[in-house]
Amino acid sequence: DTEVTQTPKHLVMGMTNKKSLKCEQHMGHRAMYWYKQKAKKPPELMFVYSYEKLSINESVPSRFSPECPNSSLLNLHLHALQPEDSALYLCASSQDPSGTGGRTNEKLFFGSGTQLSVL
Amino acid sequence: GQSLEQPSEVTAVEGAIVQINCTYQTSGFYGLSWYQQHDGGAPTFLSYNALDGLEETGRFSSFLSRSDSYGYLLLQELQMKDSASYFCAVRDMRGGGNKLTFGTGTQLKVEL
């Protein structure tokens, strides 16, 4: 299984709603990532988990709250979002979070994303 | 900080060869990766260069010159299905080296 599975594929929410995005991988990867991507733009890193611990938070507003319940699962909890938060949210995983480089460590596997619309 | 520049758009005909360039400025450097993303799809890994030179994987090749902070992706025998966005990416050594930063992206259009 070389897939990263994200649910839901599409989400529409109001600014007062609370919702969660889910991500799952069963490749034994120990690094998991959340990226945000606007149309025609590159993915922008939000959070990185290494061995289930948050290692990078790219100054993301607190209305986005990540969670890594175990080595296979990654959640992104959403609360009180703004219309400008509408975007494609991508989850990714990679084998080794040590950052020592090499083709195996460099390869990120991405999920198909959740297209989020905030009204 | 990290900075990776790519041409915004490239157009080529089916069967042709196209080169997508990437110039970068980083605070540390492990290597240069390339990803492909079709409209509405997930980015998928294409190649990785840690050392200078050319890496070939089927119709796709990737080149790196560390001294010039420059790399390119070469696509041969273009097919319509190659129409997609292509991103170069580098790993930032800060934060344990887990931050992968993507370039500005190049939209490739393959025409008949």
Side-chain angles (χ1 to χ4, degrees):
Chain A
D1 183 0
T2 57
E3 280 192 352
V4 175
T5 304
Q6 286 189 246
T7 56
K9 293 195 183 304
H10 302 275
L11 179 62
V12 179
M13 60 186 291
M15 289 190 284
T16 59
N17 292 157
K18 286 185 181 181
K19 297 287 184 184
S20 296
L21 309 185
K22 297 187 183 300
C23 174
E24 190 168 359
Q25 58 88 12
H26 295 287
M27 294 176 279
H29 290 174
R30 303 314 298 271
M32 296 187 77
Y33 311 76
W34 281 113
Y35 279 85
K36 173 183 177 180
Q37 187 177 27
K38 293 274 197 178
K40 307 295 185 187
K41 297 292 186 183
E44 295 180 4
L45 183 67
M46 300 174 71
F47 303 104
V48 181
Y49 273 83
S50 298
Y51 295 99
E52 295 105 72
K53 293 192 188 311
L54 185 65
S55 64
I56 296 178
N57 176 343
E58 287 289 283
S59 302
V60 179
S62 60
R63 57 185 183 269
F64 295 91
S65 175
E67 179 196 21
C68 190
N70 60 55
S71 60
S72 298
L73 295 174
L74 187 67
N75 299 322
L76 186 63
H77 303 297
L78 315 173
H79 173 55
L81 294 193
Q82 304 296 311
E84 60 265 29
D85 297 322
S86 298
L88 180 67
Y89 288 85
L90 293 161
C91 173
S93 69
S94 66
Q95 185 168 24
D96 184 351
S98 68
T100 54
R103 176 176 293 270
T104 300
N105 299 340
E106 288 296 323
K107 184 175 181 179
L108 264 62
F109 291 76
F110 282 86
S112 297
T114 295
Q115 188 65 55
L116 174 67
S117 297
V118 182
L119 304 178
Chain B
Q2 312 285 86
S3 169
L4 299 96
E5 295 294 326
Q6 301 177 233
S8 60
E9 193 172 305
V10 173
T11 301
V13 297
E14 199 174 29
I17 299 172
V18 72
Q19 179 174 311
I20 298 174
N21 299 321
C22 173
T23 56
Y24 60 87
Q25 289 184 322
T26 70
S27 54
F29 186 74
Y30 283 118
L32 188 70
S33 300
W34 288 92
Y35 285 78
Q36 177 193 60
Q37 186 178 27
H38 288 97
D39 278 350
T44 56
F45 175 86
L46 291 177
S47 69
Y48 172 69
N49 295 66
L51 303 175
D52 287 356
L54 192 68
E55 292 268 346
E56 297 182 57
T57 309
R59 293 189 297 116
F60 293 2
S61 302
S62 56
F63 172 83
L64 176 66
S65 169
R66 295 172 68 113
S67 60
D68 295 323
S69 296
Y70 164 76
Y72 65 73
L73 182 70
L74 191 74
L75 295 84
Q76 303 182 69
E77 302 173 20
L78 279 176
Q79 301 175 8
M80 297 296 289
K81 66 179 182 179
D82 297 329
S83 293
S85 293
Y86 292 84
F87 297 95
C88 57
V90 294
R91 187 175 293 279
D92 190 334
M93 293 179 77
R94 296 170 296 169
N98 284 333
K99 179 178 177 179
L100 190 68
T101 299
F102 287 84
T104 51
T106 300
Q107 176 121 31
L108 171 64
K109 295 182 181 178
V110 180
E111 300 175 335
L112 291 171

